Amino acid sequence: MLVPFKIFTTSAFLLFGYTEAQTECRDNGLFPHQSTLWNDNFPNGENDEKVTALCDGEISINGAGEVCVDGRVSYRQIQEFTGKPTYAPTSNTISITGHLIAGDAYTMLGDKFVFLYDLVSSYTINGTTYEADDTMVDNVLAASKGAIEGICYKTDFVRNETEYIKINHKIFLEGEANAEELEDATVIFASALGLVGEYYTKVEDKPSILSNFRLSLQNSVSNGPTPDELFQIFPIFSLVPSLRALIVGGVVSTDVHPQPLKAPDTPAEDIQIDTEWSTLLKVIDSGVFDDGYPLFSVGLIRKVTILEGGYSCWRNTTEAAVIDITIPPGRAEEIDEFVVNKLYPAIKEQGGNVGLHLGKRIPNDSTELMNDVFDFYARCGMTVPDTKPEPCYHPLCSRQSIPTTFEYPSEFFDISSKSEL
């Protein structure tokens, strides 16, 4: 439970500060996006110890009206602090600082997805504060320059007014999908059964109780008690698109659902590969998602709007596609095969750029893909260190295609706990 807000004043202006006792970012028992890379043998190992991510930092509002974070907190804590709709990823238990080092971290509010880099005003590394500019990616990517100790967000990170979003769907069975009908989708769900387009439209109509309830019901169903063994026996993930299209619909409020799409707290392996939205549409027309999509997997493809004046690596386009390919633990090789041998080559064949979320799964046998990813980040200003950074706080801190050993920054992690991230 979060402790009450602490309000204090300075001689210059009023600040709203929020601190909580040592708190885990995620509930016990939940896996991070990439359990194999982050938890197996790095640097745990003795007595099966696991690290616990701590979200015990402080949140404040500075004199410019920006939400600022000192230390490590989760998006959920910021939402509870502001009491207003704020941008967040589809899983709001993710920590802000951990998200910033991932490269292509996205956030969502209402009908729009945007990259986190486009919302940052300033950030602090090793005691030095930097204004957001075109050097940000080089400074924060894979924590190669050190631990991120603080962040301030642009004022539009918080939405002061309520918005109403109408959600509807189009279902395309295997082989039926086409780019023209999916171009205006905000989210595209992929499975072995076909594609489902989810369309968000900002409207003036207020939601009915039923519409908000339907979305809450879908979130509850997604987080319902399901034995892990069933995910290995039945292709439950492949049913997600159809079930969502069946349950969710109508108008919802950002006061109740600031993120109309939420990720369930289900153990999973997840690869996030990104490209231009226009490239994705060509890939869909090429039939990649119709031929041999992994049966036990679900894909969540989000259209990300590039904000003017931002510093994400996709600022040379207007819309990007964030493609999450997710599968139950123990089946990761199936999505490795699909991404490395089908999806990635299809993106390159269409002339697209390719990015990768560096906090999620790195596919096996993906040297060519990773080299291409780092070439993309290099064009965005990333430099490669001459030697491995010490201390190294990320398995890809050397910005090379092969992960390396690393340590968790002690101020953000409890490395003596036996609970999982």
Side-chain angles (χ1 to χ4, degrees):
M1 178 67 67
L2 302 180
V3 300
F5 299 156
K6 179 179 63 180
I7 301 177
F8 61 94
T9 341
T10 68
S11 57
F13 50 84
L14 184 68
L15 291 174
F16 295 85
Y18 173 76
T19 311
E20 81 172 307
Q22 194 170 79
T23 305
E24 297 177 14
C25 301
R26 296 173 181 265
D27 296 331
N28 283 337
L30 298 182
F31 289 83
H33 285 294
Q34 186 182 350
S35 56
T36 47
L37 180 60
W38 287 95
N39 271 347
D40 293 349
N41 304 318
F42 291 123
N44 338 284
E46 293 185 11
N47 302 319
D48 260 343
E49 292 179 342
K50 301 292 185 182
V51 297
T52 298
L54 303 175
C55 283
D56 56 358
E58 182 176 283
I59 308 167
S60 62
I61 298 178
N62 68 14
E66 298 173 337
V67 173
C68 295
V69 170
D70 182 16
R72 181 176 172 130
V73 302
S74 68
Y75 285 91
R76 179 177 59 193
Q77 290 168 296
I78 289 183
Q79 290 174 330
E80 295 185 359
F81 167 68
T82 63
K84 298 177 180 178
T86 67
Y87 276 98
T90 50
S91 176
N92 66 6
T93 59
I94 294 172
S95 75
I96 298 280
T97 50
H99 217 202
L100 195 64
I101 66 178
D104 282 355
Y106 68 87
T107 61
M108 179 189 194
L109 179 53
D111 65 332
K112 184 181 296 183
F113 290 92
V114 304
F115 284 120
L116 177 60
Y117 286 171
D118 288 349
L119 296 171
V120 174
S121 171
S122 62
Y123 57 97
T124 302
I125 298 177
N126 299 334
T128 300
T129 298
Y130 304 85
E131 296 298 316
D133 60 17
D134 55 11
T135 67
M136 180 165 59
V137 172
D138 188 42
N139 286 339
V140 303
L141 188 68
S144 297
K145 301 294 178 67
I148 300 171
E149 300 163 342
I151 308 171
C152 286
Y153 295 93
K154 297 175 182 178
T155 53
D156 52 4
F157 180 76
V158 178
R159 189 70 48 80
N160 290 312
E161 69 278 0
T162 301
E163 294 182 343
Y164 305 111
I165 311 301
K166 184 177 181 179
I167 303 175
N168 54 47
H169 299 87
K170 291 182 181 179
I171 299 175
F172 304 89
L173 298 179
E174 184 178 355
E176 294 182 353
N178 67 81
E180 184 177 353
E181 293 188 80
L182 287 167
E183 183 176 3
D184 294 330
T186 308
V187 182
I188 300 172
F189 295 87
S191 77
L193 303 177
L195 301 182
V196 173
E198 184 164 289
Y199 301 80
Y200 297 169
T201 307
K202 197 179 297 184
V203 296
E204 298 295 328
D205 302 333
K206 292 186 178 181
S208 66
I209 295 175
L210 178 61
S211 295
N212 276 329
F213 171 76
R214 289 168 67 184
L215 186 49
S216 298
L217 174 63
Q218 195 272 338
N219 291 334
S220 297
V221 170
S222 298
N223 282 305
T226 305
D228 291 345
E229 294 78 9
L230 283 182
F231 287 96
Q232 302 296 330
I233 300 173
F234 300 105
I236 295 175
F237 280 9
S238 68
L239 302 178
V240 168
S242 299
L243 287 174
R244 184 169 174 91
L246 178 66
I247 298 174
V248 175
V251 178
V252 298
S253 163
T254 55
D255 280 346
V256 179
H257 297 289
Q259 283 72 50
L261 179 65
K262 294 191 70 174
D265 294 329
T266 303
E269 287 281 8
D270 181 14
I271 300 171
Q272 179 186 315
I273 185 169
D274 309 318
T275 190
E276 299 86 0
W277 186 256
S278 57
T279 300
L280 168 74
L281 296 176
K282 295 175 185 176
V283 168
I284 289 173
D285 271 348
S286 75
V288 165
F289 291 97
D290 296 325
D291 181 21
Y293 188 86
L295 177 61
F296 281 77
S297 170
V298 64
L300 274 70
I301 307 169
R302 303 158 178 93
K303 179 195 291 180
V304 178
T305 300
I306 310 304
L307 299 182
E308 186 176 352
Y311 296 102
S312 80
C313 288
W314 298 98
R315 56 186 178 269
N316 291 326
T317 188
T318 57
E319 295 171 332
V322 167
I323 309 167
D324 269 305
I325 308 296
T326 305
I327 203 164
R331 292 184 171 273
E333 290 183 0
E334 297 172 32
I335 59 173
D336 289 353
E337 164 74 18
F338 175 75
V339 169
V340 173
N341 295 325
K342 291 188 176 181
L343 181 56
Y344 166 60
I347 291 173
K348 297 307 295 178
E349 183 177 343
Q350 299 301 333
N353 288 301
V354 60
L356 203 73
H357 188 298
L358 301 187
K360 300 183 182 180
R361 181 175 177 82
I362 307 300
N364 289 323
D365 302 320
S366 59
T367 301
E368 181 181 352
L369 166 61
M370 291 306 300
N371 286 338
D372 205 355
V373 167
F374 282 123
D375 284 346
F376 170 71
Y377 286 130
R379 294 192 295 273
C380 189
M382 181 203 78
T383 58
V384 178
D386 294 330
T387 59
K388 177 185 172 183
E390 294 294 346
C392 174
Y393 290 137
H394 189 285
L396 294 172
C397 68
S398 295
R399 297 172 174 174
Q400 303 288 336
S401 60
I402 305 300
T404 184
T405 55
F406 71 98
E407 63 185 84
Y408 291 91
S410 58
E411 64 267 37
F412 297 153
F413 291 90
D414 178 3
I415 61 174
S416 64
S417 172
K418 291 185 181 295
S419 65
E420 293 164 338
L421 271 175

